Amino acid sequence: MFIGTYEHNMDSKNRVFVPVKFREELGETIYYRLYASKENPSIQLYSKDEFEREFSNAVPNMNNQAKKKKLLSPIFLTANIASYDSQGRITINSVIAENAGLEKECIFVGFGSYVELMSKKSYNASLQMVCEDNEADEAAVEKEADVYRQMMGEGRFLDVEGE
């Protein structure tokens, strides 16, 4: 299981060092694809087995090539394969790296069955969104608790033991 966050720099040839802990689980060959998001694009890295498990059922058996292409494009249009060089780096396709917003500073994040490679900007924005979501959840729970306390104070709930 991939877990953890690691920072590494990408060089001018789009090579980036993959953390050793992730390399062990990803295997010798990495399958990667662009996760195209307007707010926080990234690159998802998979082991060969996990990529096949995740996307093998995505290929529909249909004769209409236009529809098939439309369904498969988000997955395979930016999919690629990489192998490690002698220093444990992989080279990310320049078009994919550009569309992921990758610059010099990159963040690897373990997401259970895969790894995401993000720009520092995307990572910080994603982290901010998580914090905002948590604040909204906490506010909703507190509001629900206030309603419950008010209803209890008004005697709108039966005392189960004393019915």
Side-chain angles (χ1 to χ4, degrees):
M1 175 178 236
F2 297 106
I3 190 166
T5 304
Y6 302 90
E7 295 182 48
H8 287 285
N9 289 332
M10 180 177 282
D11 68 15
S12 61
K13 296 179 181 178
N14 292 339
R15 296 178 300 193
V16 63
F17 180 80
V18 179
V20 174
K21 289 193 177 233
F22 291 162
R23 275 199 321 248
E24 292 169 356
E25 286 190 57
L26 286 167
E28 292 299 313
T29 304
I30 295 176
Y31 284 63
Y32 68 91
R33 64 182 286 268
L34 174 67
Y35 176 71
S37 164
K38 287 182 182 179
E39 295 86 26
N40 303 311
S42 64
I43 295 175
Q44 296 174 331
L45 308 172
Y46 297 88
S47 68
K48 180 180 187 231
D49 290 342
E50 187 60 31
F51 189 86
E52 288 175 355
R53 187 174 17 263
E54 184 77 24
F55 300 110
S56 64
N57 293 330
V59 181
N61 187 11
M62 60 174 51
N63 292 329
N64 186 323
Q65 291 300 311
K67 283 185 180 180
K68 187 173 184 177
K69 183 176 181 178
K70 185 173 182 169
L71 289 171
L72 297 178
S73 289
I75 298 166
F76 294 105
L77 191 61
T78 63
N80 219 320
I81 299 172
S83 298
Y84 306 105
D85 66 11
S86 61
Q87 296 179 25
R89 299 174 299 187
I90 59 170
T91 302
I92 303 294
N93 174 290
S94 61
V95 173
I96 295 171
E98 181 182 332
N99 281 282
L102 295 181
E103 297 171 351
K104 184 175 181 177
E105 294 178 304
C106 296
I107 312 286
F108 286 87
V109 181
F111 274 90
S113 61
Y114 67 95
V115 175
E116 283 206 25
L117 175 58
M118 308 174 162
S119 69
K120 194 167 189 175
K121 179 181 174 184
S122 282
Y123 176 77
N124 288 335
S126 295
L127 195 56
Q128 182 65 34
M129 283 180 13
V130 168
C131 292
E132 289 170 1
D133 287 347
N134 286 344
E135 288 174 9
D137 289 345
E138 289 169 2
V141 167
E142 187 57 37
K143 183 177 179 180
E144 190 173 312
D146 286 344
V147 169
Y148 178 76
R149 284 190 287 272
Q150 181 182 359
M151 293 172 84
M152 286 294 291
E154 295 174 359
R156 293 173 59 186
F157 288 101
L158 292 177
D159 180 3
V160 176
E161 293 177 8
E163 291 187 69

